[in-house]
Amino acid sequence: MNNLAKTTAYLNRCSKCGSCQAVCPLYGETKTEPYVARGKLFLLKSHLEGKLPLSSKMKEIMSLCLLCKACVEQCPNSIPVDRMILAARQEIAREKSISFVKKNIFQHLLKNNGRLTLAAQLGYFYQRAGLQWLVRKSRILEVFRGELAQKEHLLPKMAKHPFRKQVPRLFTCSRPKLRVAYYTGCLTNFVYHATGYAVINVLRNHELEVLIPEQWCCGIPALAGGDEKTAIELARKNIDVFQKAGVDVVITDCASCGSMLKEYADLVETPEARAFAAKVLDFSQFLSEAVSFHAGENEIPGLVTYHDPCHLKRGQGVSGAPRKLIKMVPGLAFKEMKESDRCCGAAGSFNLTYHNLATKIGRRKVQNIQQTCADLVITGCPSCIMQLRHVLELEKSPVRVLHLAELLSMTYPSRKANKERGANKTKSRRGRC
Amino acid sequence: MLSSSLINEIQKILGKENVFTTLEERLCYGYDSTPEAFLPDLVIRPTCTEQIQKILKLANLHLFPVIPRGAGTGLSGGSLPVKGGVILDLNRMDRILEIDEENLVATVEPGVITAHLQEEVEKRGLFYPPDPASLKTSTIGGNVAECAGGPRAFKYGVTRDYVLGLEIVTPKGEILQTGGKTVKSVTGYDLTRLYTGSEGTLGIITKIILRLIPKPEAKKTMMIVYERLDDAAKTVTLIIKQGIIPVTLELMDDITMRCVENYLQLGLPLDAEAVLIIEVDGPIDLVEKQINQVGELSRANGAREVKIAKNEKEREEIWAARRAVSAAVVQIKPTKISEDIAVPRSQIPVMVRRLKEIAFRYQLNLAIFGHAGDGNLHPNILCDKNDSEEMERVEKAIGELFQAAVELGGTLSGEHGIGTMKAPYLKLETGEVGFEVMRAIKKALDPNNILNPGKIFGSG
Ligand SMILES: Cc1cc2nc3c(=O)[nH]c(=O)nc-3n(C[C@H](O)[C@H](O)[C@H](O)COP(=O)(O)OP(=O)(O)OC[C@H]3O[C@@H](n4cnc5c(N)ncnc54)[C@H](O)[C@@H]3O)c2cc1C
């Protein structure tokens, strides 16, 4: 029995009450029933009853899901809609085979750090030199359709060298309380180095030994694209590496990676996988639960709000910790935004594949941000950061977006992280309205 | 089936992107919140009244059914395309056109979500009371077409009590304006009332004028646990006799509580026969006084536990329990047949006992909850529609429970409508003459039986 067929019991639990309509960001923008969980579940049910083939329309409909779990949280019968969509994508990929380019990315690029780095460097040169032909040749953007120019704007500036090549493998500490490993995630590694430096800086201010082992993509892009096999292979590699590293905790700075790493236990189903998954903690969760966090003395004046990444709040059940930490930053005022846990539209590569729709979803988020008058948005997922910055810029908003680690890092006396970020950029005024 | 040239013509009226033709898309517009599903031939998504007019004229020419659909949360099968045809999805017409604060009136398009309207008017210190448990998803158009009620109906009435006027596209494609912005109006037949609760069979509602009231200053909510159902019913009668009109008087039976508890873990009692959720609203002093009065009354009448919500969070918890009910009961079995009888208030204990007795006799799982203030009960039969033997028992039980409701001076449906699910039983209540009068109205307005065929009257 394939993974999809295993979900029949869940399908029978859907009472078609339509509660999912109220929270689905895609339904909110499109008001189109096939895009909401109720519709998708009905289609999957029809398929399993033999009434509907896995057509290309089905493929499109199943790919139109942010996997944000808002419906899962809302569902009175706790149907794990996201897992069912993943199972459907997997089945579709098996039957229809994943597009040639996507397959290449999942099976060759993600599994090979050298090639992934090369691809990122191609991206860097492309942006530096405007060498359009290079991208066309490397076929990176070909996976995604249409609106090329706008998508290029969405892509942030690639770093020249990967983060992990720039920092030592081990940061020692004279009397470490814990030995922690830092799982950097691809976006930190290839794009947002400032986040990486900030994470290390904050950890080093808490008497910890920090290890950054060689590591692989967490596998979530492959899983979301229907390629479970590649995801499992990547999981195995990571489990192996971190087991050998002999650490107490594995910390992530990326909500999506974090939720994926925690799911290794279900994905790989070995004792090692369970042991590994149990060690994974989100950066904010670690600071507020495992060590007693203390902020530095630097005051950060300003008004700040917080965006809950889907994979942090609903994926890992972490929403109190980041708020608690933000409120410990000296000088800062905090204001909650409306719908703080509504998806920003990033959803992995969703914003590349369906740029227009993702931007509409992002606009609603930006409106909620603007209503708070905050001059800074904090969040805990690099993918959200990319999307929020993109949409804020489209809306010509001066609001800045930082990872929680960057904010916390700024409170300590200057080290490298502060130089990277330019801590003094934050205006002294409180709020923008 | 519609010919491709006809589909072309429809696409010309609406724009290609607003016409769904694929099997996958059509499947998603063939169900509502009942267990049934059908396949429409086409789904269209108009954005204005003129487009709807053109479609209905075309429908009379080519004789295809047109079925209006809001959010598809109906519980009587109202939006099901039982005879195929064109689903007319009204979600794209979702503007609040005006909130007139001087005249306390709002004008909206039918696709506005109920909760959205409530939020908007409450921002202005106003109040739109009808509150079906589905309010975060249901549309105002669907609420008017079903004359939706909700927990607040006991004090504030149902949708009907707030509809002042309508813009309707008639089955032949003409525009009809009924009522207006005034609370009083006696010019001829009360067409507004005729259309409210017409279940999409007499016209497409394209604009709605709603009465608003000032928002009550304060409200207080409490939950009361009873060892015995009769004590709960007695308390309700006494409260009203004392001149207290609570906004809501919600009742949940033991099975319902178990389902909700399983889902929300709120610490609901699992060994009590009934729970009442009571809310009072009004000026702040009065509310304090009344909630305490209700507390004393219930303690004196066999309540085991009285819990008054101290803050918004506790209030939300109590309501979360009630709101979860309708959907949480499917944990017992996948298929939910949600009934909607109403009886005179004093007959509630008798009705509940008869319901339990019927369920016992047919060996069915039955959860009962509802609005004790207005006698509107929702007996939910939990079954499995793939089990044909069980479904036969369900059929018989439903017949008996309708019979019981009518015998006690009640009605088949308090707020969900007749649709397809209750059509076979309509005459039980209306009698032959009532049935014929209704059918004559339908025939006069929709001679070609274009709009929502197969509803209310069955396969006529
Ligand atoms: C969990 C849950 C809880 C519920 N709780 C309640 C409750 O407390 N009280 C209550 O009364 N109901 C309740 N309902 C039932 C349902 O939500 C209401 O009947 C609601 O009014 C339906 O609105 P809708 O937009 O979903 O309409 P739909 O289901 O789409 O349609 C309902 C009927 O209205 C017609 N219609 C829709 N729009 C128009 C229009 N613009 N013009 C003409 N006809 C139209 C359709 O043809 C159909 O006959 C509940 C349902 C669920 C799933």
Side-chain angles (χ1 to χ4, degrees):
Chain A
M1 192 159 52
N2 65 45
N3 283 348
L4 182 56
K6 282 186 209 151
T7 64
T8 311
Y10 288 129
L11 288 172
N12 285 335
R13 258 162 48 182
C14 177
S15 70
K16 296 193 262 114
C17 70
S19 301
C20 40
Q21 288 180 356
V23 294
C24 174
L26 279 182
Y27 185 80
E29 296 306 328
T30 63
K31 295 280 181 97
T32 300
E33 189 84 25
Y35 299 161
V36 79
R38 176 169 73 162
K40 291 191 173 95
L41 297 186
F42 189 77
L43 291 176
L44 291 179
K45 199 166 175 211
S46 306
H47 167 67
L48 288 175
E49 286 168 356
K51 294 177 198 155
L52 186 67
L54 292 176
S55 59
S56 54
K57 188 76 195 173
M58 270 292 259
K59 185 173 164 185
E60 181 190 312
I61 291 172
M62 292 305 149
S63 72
L64 274 157
C65 171
L66 301 157
L67 301 175
C68 74
K69 296 181 193 242
C71 54
V72 180
E73 189 181 56
Q74 179 85 353
C75 177
N77 295 309
S78 319
I79 301 177
V81 183
D82 57 328
R83 277 202 267 149
M84 304 172 69
I85 302 289
L86 288 178
R89 286 183 187 175
Q90 202 185 319
E91 201 44 35
I92 290 168
R94 206 175 57 86
E95 246 189 43
K96 301 198 81 83
S97 93
I98 314 173
S99 79
F100 173 73
V101 185
K102 258 195 180 169
K103 201 176 202 160
N104 258 324
I105 293 188
F106 294 154
Q107 298 183 353
H108 299 293
L109 272 186
L110 296 186
K111 280 195 273 193
N112 183 314
N113 278 342
R115 285 190 207 151
L116 195 55
T117 303
L118 188 66
Q121 279 169 343
L122 287 179
Y124 168 79
F125 283 120
Y126 163 73
Q127 287 176 328
R128 289 289 299 258
L131 300 176
Q132 283 238 341
W133 61 269
L134 201 55
V135 156
R136 298 231 169 97
K137 274 215 146 158
S138 71
R139 306 177 83 176
I140 290 181
L141 283 176
E142 235 176 75
V143 191
F144 317 107
R145 41 189 186 155
E147 311 138 39
L148 190 69
Q150 280 186 319
K151 285 173 185 171
E152 287 188 70
H153 175 253
L154 172 66
L155 287 179
K157 280 219 167 62
M158 297 271 190
K160 189 171 174 194
H161 298 291
F163 176 71
R164 289 198 299 269
K165 287 256 153 41
Q166 317 242 40
V167 288
R169 197 172 164 276
L170 180 69
F171 291 89
T172 49
C173 161
S174 57
R175 241 175 283 124
K177 282 191 202 146
L178 287 170
R179 191 173 144 85
V180 303
Y182 173 24
Y183 182 89
T184 63
C186 295
L187 273 175
T188 298
N189 195 33
F190 294 119
V191 184
Y192 296 129
H193 288 188
T195 305
Y197 286 117
V199 169
I200 293 172
N201 187 34
V202 175
L203 294 178
R204 289 187 69 198
N205 271 288
H206 287 81
E207 292 152 41
L208 302 162
E209 190 165 282
V210 184
L211 179 71
I212 310 175
E214 179 68 354
Q215 49 193 269
W216 280 266
C217 164
C218 67
I220 203 171
L223 194 66
D227 185 356
E228 192 187 54
K229 199 165 143 261
T230 300
I232 291 178
E233 273 177 52
L234 289 164
R236 289 225 160 90
K237 282 184 171 206
N238 279 321
I239 292 166
D240 189 43
V241 165
F242 282 88
Q243 200 187 13
K244 287 192 181 125
V247 289
D248 304 304
V249 185
V250 178
I251 292 170
T252 63
D253 63 12
C254 169
S256 301
C257 297
S259 70
M260 182 69 185
L261 297 180
K262 286 178 180 175
E263 271 172 34
Y264 279 5
D266 290 337
L267 193 67
V268 184
E269 295 180 318
T270 60
E272 292 79 28
R274 277 190 286 278
F276 169 80
K279 281 184 189 172
V280 178
L281 285 179
D282 177 69
F283 173 75
S284 65
Q285 197 182 10
F286 172 74
L287 287 179
S288 88
E289 288 171 17
V291 293
S292 60
F293 170 78
H294 57 85
E297 281 165 11
N298 290 351
E299 289 215 357
I300 319 273
L303 181 65
V304 62
T305 188
Y306 176 75
H307 160 68
D308 284 291
C310 302
H311 287 146
L312 197 50
K313 179 161 186 246
R314 288 178 291 271
Q316 304 180 51
V318 176
S319 62
R323 289 176 168 80
K324 187 175 121 191
L325 298 171
I326 291 172
K327 287 174 188 164
M328 289 168 80
V329 170
L332 201 60
F334 178 76
K335 188 159 181 216
E336 202 65 67
M337 71 169 100
K338 209 176 135 195
E339 303 180 330
S340 67
D341 66 349
R342 196 172 169 105
C343 180
C344 64
S349 61
F350 186 93
N351 52 358
L352 282 167
T353 320
Y354 299 104
H355 181 267
N356 283 343
L357 198 48
T359 304
K360 275 193 197 161
I361 294 169
R363 286 217 161 93
R364 176 154 169 171
K365 176 62 57 178
V366 163
Q367 275 167 12
N368 286 330
I369 291 172
Q370 286 173 329
Q371 269 173 19
T372 63
C373 295
D375 26 38
L376 189 59
V377 188
I378 300 299
T379 189
C381 184
S383 170
C384 300
I385 292 179
M386 182 163 107
Q387 166 78 348
L388 291 173
R389 284 189 184 158
H390 173 62
V391 184
L392 279 163
E393 205 171 302
L394 289 181
E395 298 286 292
K396 303 202 168 36
S397 162
V399 177
R400 293 168 65 213
V401 187
L402 291 180
H403 191 283
L404 174 67
E406 295 175 85
L407 174 72
L408 301 183
S409 174
M410 288 195 285
T411 65
Y412 302 107
S414 173
R415 266 196 224 171
K416 174 128 195 202
N418 289 0
K419 263 188 253 151
E420 279 281 321
R421 190 69 254 162
N424 42 11
K425 260 197 232 155
T426 316
K427 284 162 269 159
S428 57
R429 248 177 347 108
R430 257 201 191 176
R432 298 185 308 103
C433 323
Chain B
M1 282 305 280
L2 305 179
S3 70
S4 60
S5 69
L6 189 52
I7 294 177
N8 268 339
E9 211 168 323
I10 294 175
Q11 283 174 333
K12 262 191 221 128
I13 297 172
L14 291 147
K16 232 180 163 145
E17 69 283 7
N18 295 320
V19 179
F20 291 163
T21 54
T22 68
L23 174 62
E24 291 80 0
E25 289 160 321
R26 287 184 290 133
L27 275 168
C28 293
Y29 288 87
Y31 55 71
D32 61 3
S33 297
T34 65
E36 301 298 319
F38 297 82
L39 184 64
D41 296 314
L42 204 67
V43 178
I44 61 170
R45 310 185 1 115
T47 49
C48 65
T49 307
E50 292 71 39
Q51 288 176 343
I52 298 175
Q53 279 185 280
K54 286 183 189 158
I55 293 296
L56 282 175
K57 287 190 174 140
L58 209 59
N60 277 285
L61 210 61
H62 297 277
L63 301 178
F64 57 83
V66 174
I67 305 99
R69 186 181 195 268
T73 67
L75 290 174
S76 55
S79 67
L80 299 177
V82 288
K83 298 187 187 295
V86 174
I87 288 282
L88 196 149
D89 172 16
L90 288 139
N91 280 291
R92 303 283 303 280
M93 294 174 65
D94 63 349
R95 288 174 305 166
I96 296 178
L97 300 171
E98 187 193 22
I99 296 175
D100 178 345
E101 294 181 52
E102 289 204 353
N103 292 307
L104 297 187
V105 160
T107 308
V108 304
E109 291 186 332
V112 172
I113 307 292
T114 315
H116 178 57
L117 174 69
Q118 288 177 337
E119 250 171 58
E120 288 303 311
V121 303
E122 284 177 37
K123 271 186 205 162
R124 296 161 171 82
L126 301 174
F127 192 38
Y128 175 70
D131 60 340
S134 52
L135 61 90
K136 283 190 181 159
T137 40
S138 72
T139 64
I140 295 285
N143 290 169
V144 175
E146 295 287 10
C147 187
R152 289 181 198 143
F154 175 57
K155 178 167 181 178
Y156 290 107
V158 294
T159 304
R160 175 196 296 135
D161 300 304
Y162 295 86
V163 183
L164 292 179
L166 295 169
E167 178 188 273
I168 305 275
V169 177
T170 68
K172 295 177 195 162
E174 283 141 357
I175 301 236
L176 165 68
Q177 309 277 358
T178 78
K181 271 192 173 188
T182 57
V183 174
K184 295 179 176 178
S185 164
V186 286
T187 34
Y189 296 140
D190 189 344
L191 297 180
T192 310
R193 282 219 164 194
L194 174 63
Y195 274 97
T196 305
S198 62
E199 303 190 26
T201 61
L202 299 181
I204 312 278
I205 302 161
T206 48
K207 214 180 273 175
I208 302 144
I209 305 176
L210 293 168
R211 182 167 74 95
L212 306 172
I213 58 176
K215 197 177 164 197
E217 185 187 7
K219 60 188 162 198
K220 276 254 168 196
T221 309
M222 71 199 299
M223 188 156 111
I224 313 170
V225 180
Y226 289 92
E227 216 87 3
R228 292 178 47 237
L229 177 76
D230 286 79
D231 290 338
K234 199 161 72 193
T235 313
V236 170
T237 312
L238 287 173
I239 292 170
I240 297 165
K241 268 202 186 134
Q242 286 231 338
I244 301 172
I245 305 289
V247 196
T248 57
L249 276 162
E250 293 296 289
L251 177 83
M252 290 197 262
D253 81 340
D254 43 0
I255 297 185
T256 310
M257 273 186 286
R258 250 170 260 158
C259 293
V260 175
E261 183 56 24
N262 208 14
Y263 162 51
L264 286 178
Q265 287 94 43
L266 293 169
L268 296 177
L270 298 179
D271 55 342
E273 265 188 17
V275 153
L276 282 179
I277 296 175
I278 299 184
E279 189 165 286
V280 293
D281 72 355
I284 205 155
D285 304 339
L286 189 65
V287 164
E288 261 325 307
K289 190 175 142 212
Q290 288 191 338
I291 200 96
N292 291 327
Q293 266 179 302
V294 173
E296 279 159 32
L297 259 177
S298 43
R299 272 193 211 94
N301 284 283
R304 182 169 90 186
E305 194 188 331
V306 177
K307 189 182 162 196
I308 299 177
K310 285 191 284 296
N311 48 41
E312 190 51 35
K313 191 171 156 270
E314 289 187 12
R315 181 178 174 271
E316 250 320 296
E317 265 177 24
I318 293 179
W319 277 116
R322 173 59 186 89
R323 275 194 214 106
V325 164
S326 178
V329 286
V330 276
Q331 289 168 25
I332 300 183
K333 282 202 169 188
T335 311
K336 178 182 71 173
I337 313 279
S338 188
E339 289 308 341
D340 175 38
I341 49 169
V343 292
R345 190 170 46 239
S346 61
Q347 300 286 12
I348 286 181
V350 185
M351 189 66 213
V352 171
R353 248 176 269 126
R354 299 243 330 229
L355 286 171
K356 293 208 172 223
E357 186 264 315
I358 293 169
F360 179 77
R361 217 160 3 91
Y362 289 102
Q363 292 180 343
L364 295 169
N365 291 295
L366 182 77
I368 307 167
F369 53 91
H371 318 299
D374 47 37
N376 186 191
L377 293 176
H378 298 307
N380 276 239
I381 303 176
L382 292 322
C383 48
D384 182 350
K385 79 171 175 196
N386 298 319
D387 180 347
S388 55
E389 185 273 327
E390 185 181 38
M391 292 316 280
E392 264 174 46
R393 281 182 280 135
V394 170
E395 269 311 301
K396 287 188 191 140
I398 291 176
E400 284 195 27
L401 73 88
F402 285 149
Q403 190 67 46
V406 173
E407 270 171 30
L408 294 174
T411 175
L412 302 183
S413 177
E415 53 186 24
H416 296 166
I418 297 298
T420 55
M421 308 288 284
K422 300 189 195 81
Y425 308 98
L426 182 61
K427 272 189 214 168
L428 259 184
E429 187 177 331
T430 61
E432 205 58 55
V433 177
F435 186 86
E436 280 314 320
V437 168
M438 287 189 199
R439 205 150 68 170
I441 294 173
K442 167 73 176 168
K443 271 195 185 138
L445 292 173
D446 186 8
N448 291 326
N449 201 16
I450 297 297
L451 270 184
N452 216 355
K455 307 300 161 65
I456 302 182
F457 309 104
S459 47

